[in-house]
């Protein structure tokens, strides 16, 4: 550990950066060759990225036009029974579901909420692979995501305070991406730089600040990269003895999804106008609406359950609450100093781009929903169940 001065990024392997020597025309050509012109939204983001780097002014106009096209209702001719108009005149696909939604929810393999173990030794290494893929954000609702090999969110990273964290980011997507770790004190222009398609980049930081943090792609337009699934959580656990030992550690990453169609037939894509209006169609814990309602998290009566919650946003807060109990201890904003903790509180805001840690100890067996108590979020999928002890049946409401 001592051999690596922790506060300095250590680029371990980097391939040459094509973008600095090759002009925009090549990238337009490469875009066509790569075939991602079919995904107009992706192209728009790519052009916006070019524009952000000052390489193309006309690109911005095309990007804006393209984004505008995608705000139009889908040209399928069919009327979607679920669609309705929201306050800003935007079409909402909240609650869209196929007939077999319940079966699909039951068959869905939930994102593992259990916090993984810590790697032994002073250096913890992680490989993160970005890729374009279709994910499901709700039963039967498909979304064309920019995500991780395992979908969205990315894998939960768990380290101990004081460990050096080595991240290798591999970009298997069609456009440039990057990674921004909120747990790091590091020069962003060095460590969080854009990684070209097909390339990898490795950097290190020392995890000195305990808490639960967001990581995300920081490539412009960041709103779109986050909304498309490029986020995850890293837990930096305090030294042993700081926190009371938990019987269960569950990690929840809250996020919003903004869809241009209902996603029931073909995968939906990102809708920029809805994202700007902050009118999501779906809101989720760990990427899929209500997955822990169909597959509850569990505890025995009297056990200490610790929720490590990150709100990836991109834009809305999560007002974390567990129905039927009160937080014995809350660590707002992921400040893990015990003297800053709150006790006996009902709901604590987790800000977009922030975290919070919550301890509950429940004696009575039952089904205890955990939600964002900004209740539109519950309607849109940000709800799960903690099943304490042996329980028959499910929630009646
Ligand atoms: Cu990205």
């Amino acid at each position: 550990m001592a051999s690596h001065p922790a506060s300095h990024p250590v680029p371990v392997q980097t391939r040459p950066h094509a973008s600095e020597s090759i002009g925009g025309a090549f990238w337009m050509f490469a875009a066509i060759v790569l075939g991602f012109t079919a995904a107009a939204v992706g192209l728009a983001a790519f052009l916006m990225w070019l524009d952000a780097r000052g390489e193309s002014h006309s690109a911005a106009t095309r990007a804006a036009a393209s984004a505008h096209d995608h705000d139009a209702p889908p040209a399928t001719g069919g009327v979607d029974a679920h669609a309705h108009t929201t306050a800003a005149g935007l079409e909402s696909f909240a609650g869209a579901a196929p007939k077999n939604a319940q079966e699909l929810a039951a068959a869905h393999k939930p994102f593992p909420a259990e916090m993984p173990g810590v790697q032994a030794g002073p250096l913890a290494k992680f490989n993160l692979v970005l890729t374009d893929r279709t994910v499901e954000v709700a039963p039967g609702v498909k979304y064309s995501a920019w995500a991780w090999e395992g979908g969205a969110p990315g894998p939960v990273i768990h380290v101990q305070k004081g460990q050096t964290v080595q991240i290798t980011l591999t970009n298997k997507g069609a456009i440039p991406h990057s990674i921004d770790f909120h747990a790091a004190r590091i020069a962003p222009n060095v460590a969080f730089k854009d990684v070209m398609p097909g390339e990898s980049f490795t950097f290190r930081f020392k995890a000195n600040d305990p808490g639960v943090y967001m990581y995300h792609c920081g490539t412009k337009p960041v709103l779109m990269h986050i909304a498309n699934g490029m986020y995850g959580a890293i837990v930096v656990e305090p030294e042993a003895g700081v926190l009371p030992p938990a019987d269960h550690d569950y990690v929840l990453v809250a996020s919003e999804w903004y869809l241009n169609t209902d996603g029931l037939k073909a995968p939906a894509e990102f809708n920029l106008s809805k994202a700007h209006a902050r009118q999501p169609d779906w809101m989720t814990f760990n990427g899929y609406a209500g997955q822990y309602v169909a597959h509850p998290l569990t505890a025995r009566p009297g056990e200490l359950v610790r929720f490590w919650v990150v709100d990836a946003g991109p834009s809305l807060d999560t007002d974390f609450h567990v129905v039927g109990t009160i937080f014995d201890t809350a660590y707002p904003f992921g400040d893990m100093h015990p003297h800053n903790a709150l006790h006996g509180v009902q709901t604590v805001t987790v800000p977009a781009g922030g975290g919070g840690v919550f301890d509950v100890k429940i004696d009575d067996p039952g089904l205890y929903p955990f939600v964002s108590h900004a209740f539109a979020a519950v309607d849109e999928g940000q709800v799960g169940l903690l099943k304490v002890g042996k329980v028959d049946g499910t929630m009646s409401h």
Side-chain angles (χ1 to χ4, degrees), residues 92-176:
S92 172
F93 302 107
K99 285 202 180 70
N100 61 341
Q102 257 186 323
E103 288 162 47
L104 292 173
H108 169 72
K109 188 167 176 279
F111 184 96
E114 296 80 12
M115 186 164 71
V118 174
Q119 294 176 27
L123 176 64
K125 297 181 180 177
F126 301 91
N127 292 309
L128 295 173
V129 180
L130 290 167
T131 185
D132 304 331
R133 51 169 294 172
T134 298
V135 299
E136 275 203 358
V137 301
V141 177
K142 293 174 276 298
Y143 185 84
S144 188
W146 300 340
W148 313 84
E149 276 192 330
V156 174
I157 293 176
H158 178 199
V159 300
Q160 198 78 38
K161 180 186 170 186
Q163 279 188 311
T164 295
V165 182
Q166 176 174 305
I167 302 293
T168 297
L169 179 67
T170 299
N171 183 359
K172 290 190 178 172
I175 64 172

Side-chain angles (χ1 to χ4, degrees), residues 3-90:
S3 61
H4 288 289
S7 54
H8 289 277
V10 184
V12 175
Q13 92 190 72
T14 315
R15 292 183 213 166
H17 244 225
S19 71
E20 279 148 23
S21 55
I22 303 172
F26 170 80
W27 280 106
M28 283 300 294
F29 173 73
I32 293 159
V33 172
L34 289 168
F36 74 81
T37 43
V41 172
L43 178 61
F46 183 74
L47 294 172
M48 286 160 84
W49 176 83
L50 282 180
D51 188 59
R53 293 172 69 95
E55 293 177 36
S56 163
H57 282 292
S58 59
T61 315
R62 291 196 297 275
S66 176
H68 183 75
D69 289 347
H70 275 261
D71 298 337
T76 52
V79 176
D80 192 307
H82 312 288
H84 55 276
T85 302
T86 59
L90 299 166

Side-chain angles (χ1 to χ4, degrees), residues 130 146 175-178 217-219 225 230:
L130 290 167
W146 300 340
I175 64 172
H177 296 293
S178 59
C217 176
T219 299
H225 285 252
M230 300 194 139

Side-chain angles (χ1 to χ4, degrees), residues 298-351:
T298 57
R300 292 195 190 91
E303 285 186 325
L304 195 160
V305 177
R306 180 165 291 142
F307 291 98
W308 304 79
V309 182
V310 156
D311 181 12
S315 299
L316 299 179
D317 295 350
T318 292
D319 298 321
F320 196 66
H321 174 80
V322 180
V323 180
T325 192
I326 293 163
F327 296 133
D328 292 295
T329 308
Y331 303 87
F333 312 118
D335 177 348
M336 304 311 293
H337 297 99
H339 57 272
N340 290 337
L342 302 177
H343 302 281
V345 293
Q346 60 196 298
T347 301
V348 176
T349 295
V350 182

